[in-house]
Amino acid sequence: MYREETAKAYAKLIIRTGVNLQKGQLVILNAPIENAEFARLVLEEAYRAGARDVLLRYFDDKASRIRYQYASEDALTTVPAWKYTPIEEYAKAGAAYICIESDDPDAFFGIDSEKLGKGMNAEARAKKPFQQIFDKNEIQWTVVAAAGREWAKKVFPEAEEEWAVQKLWDAIYHTTRMDTPDPEKAWAEHSGRLRKYCDFLNDSGITRLHLENSLGTSLDIGLIPGAIWAGGSEKTVKGVEFEANMPTEEVFTAPHREKVDGKVCSTLPLNYQGVLIDGFWFEFQDGQVVDYGAKQGKEALDQIFQDENCRRLGEVALVPYDSLISRSGILFYSTLFDENASCHLALGSGYTSSIPGAERMSREEKEQIGLNEAYSHIDFMFGSADLKATGYTEEGREIPLFENGNWAFGA
Ligand code: ZN
Ligand code: ZN
């Protein structure tokens, strides 16, 4: 339920645990116009925590939709150089970045997918210098959710609108541990647990993974030598701890861009730029998608694969089938939530944080060691109740990681 008191506490969690705002620091706050009331609470908490100044930028899916409907392809692909300058300058000055999401999963339903794809890719290219600053963890950043009307109606179609919104707030609060007596402490414990799994994986010497289930997934993933398994809180290059995603349940690393072979079948729909892709599968050979299909939204996959490097993987993540989000039984139609309900892979860019020293590498150097780079990073879910994941070391030692969708050992 959205109550001012709980919302204030949630705003405080975002500022303290999410970006872990430092005294005197600048803040970039991106928020949906629909959640202006909540954004103001976050803004206030930022100042209360000692923010020097906050750059609040509202965005509006409905306005974006109108633009994609009427503006020419030429206009949509000509992004003025100054468009992302303010946030880029702020980020260079060390601002923490907060993004509040409440996206309508069907925001762009029915819009010409080619035009939409071209426009979005142009935006992504223009935004790249900003994106790289937080990809490299030069600043603290966090992506969090607020309940939106259209989103809530999609998640709870049977509920009356106002009730759906309240139910969605409850789900957000539950999965971000806001319903525990001390959310900050709960997050510290949760992060600690995820770190233990990472430590185990990092010490295990695993160089290859095999994933399989009864749906037809049978995939071999070679890891990049020296790649790090990460999960829970992250640290900036200056050593400030933060939570990049709230919620988060994953432990992830970087696959080698040329060492993925076999088939993977999706288990949850993927909402890509307001288009729903469902019942899809990919066949990989030497790291590249060589064949694919979908029951719904295949044309969006055609768009994604226009970027050659989106045919390759940038992330493999393990998430127990019994995670808090998975157990909620709710399909959120939002990657922030659904990726934390299920084991997933990402098409496109890998995280430089997965490879020590990669933040200083050029694109060519990254590709040489096997780290994929693209304009997008698109997560999709393949976890299931019967998923089995096995790790293999260089010497061929077999280490069971997941049995029946969950960790094969405790942390
Ligand atoms: Zn992930
Ligand atoms: Zn991801």
Side-chain angles (χ1 to χ4, degrees):
M1 194 82 82
Y2 186 89
R3 284 193 210 91
E4 172 131 338
E5 207 177 316
T6 328
K8 263 187 188 164
Y10 180 42
K12 200 169 161 188
L13 182 76
I14 291 166
I15 294 297
R16 294 176 58 121
T17 301
V19 284
N20 184 13
L21 192 74
Q22 306 291 296
K23 271 208 165 54
Q25 198 174 5
L26 296 167
V27 178
I28 303 161
L29 174 57
N30 270 12
I33 198 153
E34 185 188 350
N35 298 99
E37 193 182 324
F38 178 64
R40 276 180 225 118
L41 294 178
V42 177
L43 179 84
E44 190 174 350
E45 281 305 327
Y47 282 115
R48 283 165 59 106
R52 174 176 157 79
D53 216 344
V54 183
L55 176 63
L56 170 58
R57 292 166 48 114
Y58 286 119
F59 56 89
D60 179 358
D61 270 358
K62 289 197 164 104
S64 296
R65 183 188 166 88
I66 296 169
R67 183 170 169 260
Y68 277 105
Q69 206 174 336
Y70 290 98
S72 68
E73 195 176 298
D74 181 50
L76 292 171
T77 51
T78 313
V79 186
W82 47 260
K83 187 166 180 183
Y84 294 105
T85 309
I87 51 175
E88 203 182 311
E89 294 287 309
Y90 244 48
K92 279 184 190 152
Y97 173 56
I98 301 165
C99 184
I100 302 173
E101 286 185 354
S102 66
D103 304 357
D104 169 10
D106 296 323
F108 299 109
F109 184 78
I111 298 279
D112 174 2
S113 63
E114 200 182 324
K115 192 176 168 188
L116 184 69
K118 282 184 182 164
M120 296 257 184
N121 286 343
E123 295 293 329
R125 266 194 297 278
K127 216 175 165 182
K128 190 89 192 176
F130 168 69
Q131 181 90 30
Q132 272 174 337
I133 294 173
F134 66 88
D135 276 356
K136 292 177 183 173
N137 282 351
E138 283 177 16
I139 54 176
Q140 310 105 279
W141 57 279
T142 194
V143 181
V144 299
R149 268 173 201 282
E150 301 304 325
W151 180 25
K153 282 196 285 189
K154 181 85 185 177
V155 179
F156 302 108
E158 74 294 346
E160 179 263 320
E161 183 173 309
E162 188 51 38
W163 185 231
V165 173
Q166 298 306 341
K167 274 176 80 136
L168 187 53
W169 271 115
D170 284 344
I172 293 170
Y173 288 153
H174 177 60
T175 53
T176 54
R177 297 174 157 75
M178 277 302 298
D179 55 2
T180 59
D182 186 345
E184 280 180 47
K185 192 169 155 229
W187 269 90
E189 285 169 2
H190 174 57
S191 256
R193 231 176 356 256
L194 291 175
R195 239 183 335 263
K196 278 189 189 158
Y197 281 115
C198 295
D199 290 346
F200 173 86
L201 290 162
N202 287 327
D203 293 341
S204 68
I206 289 169
T207 56
R208 187 168 68 84
L209 294 175
H210 180 73
L211 309 163
E212 62 175 75
N213 68 11
S214 59
L215 269 170
T217 292
S218 177
L219 194 69
D220 261 308
I221 300 179
L223 304 177
I224 300 172
I228 292 168
W229 287 90
S233 63
E234 296 187 36
K235 275 190 180 146
T236 65
V237 287
K238 287 188 181 135
V240 182
E241 208 170 327
F242 66 97
E243 296 285 350
N245 285 330
M246 298 178 98
T248 185
E249 302 281 342
E250 64 171 348
V251 164
F252 67 95
T253 192
H256 193 292
R257 67 190 294 278
E258 289 170 2
K259 293 183 184 168
V260 184
D261 291 278
K263 189 178 181 182
V264 64
C265 302
S266 71
T267 48
L268 284 175
L270 162 63
N271 169 38
Y272 180 71
Q273 298 177 343
V275 179
L276 210 66
I277 315 169
D278 202 5
F280 54 99
W281 57 269
F282 304 130
E283 181 93 42
F284 288 88
Q285 216 170 56
D286 297 325
Q288 205 180 17
V289 173
V290 289
D291 198 7
Y292 59 100
K295 285 197 183 114
Q296 187 193 329
K298 184 169 177 285
E299 66 286 354
L301 291 176
D302 300 339
Q303 275 310 312
I304 291 171
F305 291 144
Q306 297 259 313
D307 179 352
E308 274 293 303
N309 280 357
C310 279
R311 288 178 171 260
R312 297 181 184 274
L313 295 183
E315 180 192 357
V316 52
L318 299 176
V319 182
Y321 197 71
D322 280 349
S323 79
L324 210 51
I325 297 169
S326 182
R327 261 183 301 166
S328 77
I330 299 167
L331 177 60
F332 285 87
Y333 300 94
S334 153
T335 302
L336 178 61
F337 289 82
D338 296 333
E339 76 159 341
N340 285 301
S342 171
C343 287
H344 57 271
L345 297 167
L347 298 168
S349 267
Y351 292 107
T352 48
S353 58
S354 293
I355 313 287
E359 70 279 359
R360 290 184 300 274
M361 288 181 190
S362 67
R363 185 181 177 129
E364 290 70 32
E365 287 171 316
K366 282 183 208 163
E367 288 191 355
Q368 229 157 42
I369 61 158
L371 185 62
N372 200 35
E373 196 174 307
Y375 288 116
S376 328
H377 172 103
I378 304 155
D379 295 287
F380 66 93
M381 281 43 94
F382 70 92
S384 64
D386 67 343
L387 186 83
K388 189 177 168 186
T390 314
Y392 294 90
T393 65
E394 196 70 71
E395 312 79 50
R397 196 158 57 89
E398 199 177 301
I399 303 172
L401 301 177
F402 264 50
E403 300 276 6
N404 295 320
N406 289 299
W407 288 105
F409 54 91

